mmCIF file of all heavy atoms in Angstrom:
data_model
loop_
_atom_site.group_PDB
_atom_site.id
_atom_site.type_symbol
_atom_site.label_atom_id
_atom_site.label_comp_id
_atom_site.label_asym_id
_atom_site.label_seq_id
_atom_site.Cartn_x
_atom_site.Cartn_y
_atom_site.Cartn_z
ATOM 1 N N ARG A 218 16.509 -24.312 11.823
ATOM 2 C CA ARG A 218 17.271 -23.129 11.445
ATOM 3 C C ARG A 218 18.482 -23.528 10.589
ATOM 4 O O ARG A 218 19.006 -22.708 9.854
ATOM 5 C CB ARG A 218 17.758 -22.385 12.700
ATOM 6 C CG ARG A 218 16.626 -21.739 13.490
ATOM 7 C CD ARG A 218 16.012 -20.573 12.719
ATOM 8 N NE ARG A 218 14.859 -19.998 13.414
ATOM 9 C CZ ARG A 218 13.607 -20.424 13.252
ATOM 10 N NH1 ARG A 218 13.335 -21.411 12.421
ATOM 11 N NH2 ARG A 218 12.616 -19.879 13.922
ATOM 12 N N SER A 219 18.949 -24.772 10.749
ATOM 13 C CA SER A 219 20.079 -25.276 9.963
ATOM 14 C C SER A 219 20.062 -26.790 10.092
ATOM 15 O O SER A 219 19.152 -27.353 10.689
ATOM 16 C CB SER A 219 21.393 -24.711 10.508
ATOM 17 O OG SER A 219 21.672 -25.296 11.765
ATOM 18 N N HIS A 220 21.088 -27.441 9.526
ATOM 19 C CA HIS A 220 21.146 -28.908 9.622
ATOM 20 C C HIS A 220 21.413 -29.382 11.043
ATOM 21 O O HIS A 220 21.276 -30.562 11.351
ATOM 22 C CB HIS A 220 22.206 -29.457 8.672
ATOM 23 C CG HIS A 220 21.853 -29.236 7.230
ATOM 24 N ND1 HIS A 220 20.684 -29.687 6.663
ATOM 25 C CD2 HIS A 220 22.510 -28.567 6.242
ATOM 26 C CE1 HIS A 220 20.631 -29.325 5.395
ATOM 27 N NE2 HIS A 220 21.735 -28.643 5.116
ATOM 28 N N SER A 221 21.840 -28.458 11.907
ATOM 29 C CA SER A 221 22.145 -28.890 13.274
ATOM 30 C C SER A 221 21.344 -28.131 14.337
ATOM 31 O O SER A 221 21.589 -28.289 15.532
ATOM 32 C CB SER A 221 23.658 -28.688 13.537
ATOM 33 O OG SER A 221 23.987 -27.357 13.281
ATOM 34 N N LEU A 222 20.401 -27.299 13.895
ATOM 35 C CA LEU A 222 19.614 -26.490 14.829
ATOM 36 C C LEU A 222 18.133 -26.645 14.485
ATOM 37 O O LEU A 222 17.716 -26.334 13.369
ATOM 38 C CB LEU A 222 20.050 -25.028 14.696
ATOM 39 C CG LEU A 222 19.671 -24.028 15.774
ATOM 40 C CD1 LEU A 222 20.185 -24.482 17.148
ATOM 41 C CD2 LEU A 222 20.201 -22.631 15.428
ATOM 42 N N SER A 223 17.364 -27.126 15.469
ATOM 43 C CA SER A 223 15.949 -27.405 15.199
ATOM 44 C C SER A 223 15.053 -26.445 15.966
ATOM 45 O O SER A 223 15.397 -25.981 17.050
ATOM 46 C CB SER A 223 15.600 -28.834 15.647
ATOM 47 O OG SER A 223 16.304 -29.767 14.890
ATOM 48 N N ARG A 224 13.893 -26.191 15.409
ATOM 49 C CA ARG A 224 12.885 -25.370 16.059
ATOM 50 C C ARG A 224 11.566 -26.165 16.038
ATOM 51 O O ARG A 224 11.104 -26.549 14.956
ATOM 52 C CB ARG A 224 12.722 -24.051 15.300
ATOM 53 C CG ARG A 224 11.710 -23.091 15.902
ATOM 54 C CD ARG A 224 12.152 -22.533 17.233
ATOM 55 N NE ARG A 224 11.349 -21.401 17.661
ATOM 56 C CZ ARG A 224 11.273 -21.002 18.937
ATOM 57 N NH1 ARG A 224 11.939 -21.650 19.875
ATOM 58 N NH2 ARG A 224 10.559 -19.959 19.268
ATOM 59 N N TYR A 225 11.043 -26.432 17.225
ATOM 60 C CA TYR A 225 9.802 -27.209 17.305
ATOM 61 C C TYR A 225 8.763 -26.434 18.088
ATOM 62 O O TYR A 225 9.094 -25.632 18.976
ATOM 63 C CB TYR A 225 10.060 -28.547 18.021
ATOM 64 C CG TYR A 225 11.004 -29.460 17.269
ATOM 65 C CD1 TYR A 225 12.324 -29.668 17.741
ATOM 66 C CD2 TYR A 225 10.593 -30.133 16.141
ATOM 67 C CE1 TYR A 225 13.195 -30.513 17.062
ATOM 68 C CE2 TYR A 225 11.467 -30.978 15.446
ATOM 69 C CZ TYR A 225 12.762 -31.172 15.921
ATOM 70 O OH TYR A 225 13.609 -31.991 15.234
ATOM 71 N N TYR A 226 7.490 -26.682 17.766
ATOM 72 C CA TYR A 226 6.380 -26.024 18.476
ATOM 73 C C TYR A 226 5.294 -27.065 18.794
ATOM 74 O O TYR A 226 5.046 -27.976 17.981
ATOM 75 C CB TYR A 226 5.729 -24.959 17.616
ATOM 76 C CG TYR A 226 6.621 -23.806 17.193
ATOM 77 C CD1 TYR A 226 7.264 -23.819 15.950
ATOM 78 C CD2 TYR A 226 6.794 -22.681 18.003
ATOM 79 C CE1 TYR A 226 8.061 -22.759 15.533
ATOM 80 C CE2 TYR A 226 7.581 -21.617 17.597
ATOM 81 C CZ TYR A 226 8.230 -21.657 16.373
ATOM 82 O OH TYR A 226 9.003 -20.586 15.955
ATOM 83 N N VAL A 227 4.644 -26.912 19.933
ATOM 84 C CA VAL A 227 3.401 -27.631 20.186
ATOM 85 C C VAL A 227 2.347 -26.625 20.645
ATOM 86 O O VAL A 227 2.643 -25.666 21.360
ATOM 87 C CB VAL A 227 3.557 -28.750 21.280
ATOM 88 C CG1 VAL A 227 4.472 -29.870 20.800
ATOM 89 C CG2 VAL A 227 4.015 -28.191 22.613
ATOM 90 N N GLN A 228 1.111 -26.866 20.205
ATOM 91 C CA GLN A 228 -0.011 -26.041 20.664
ATOM 92 C C GLN A 228 -0.162 -26.217 22.181
ATOM 93 O O GLN A 228 -0.072 -27.344 22.685
ATOM 94 C CB GLN A 228 -1.297 -26.519 19.943
ATOM 95 C CG GLN A 228 -2.539 -25.821 20.397
ATOM 96 C CD GLN A 228 -3.794 -26.362 19.679
ATOM 97 O OE1 GLN A 228 -3.705 -27.124 18.708
ATOM 98 N NE2 GLN A 228 -4.969 -25.972 20.175
#
Side-chain angles (χ1 to χ4, degrees):
R218 292 291 175 271
S219 70
H220 294 303
S221 56
L222 196 57
S223 296
R224 181 68 167 159
Y225 296 108
Y226 299 95
V227 294
Q228 176 183 349

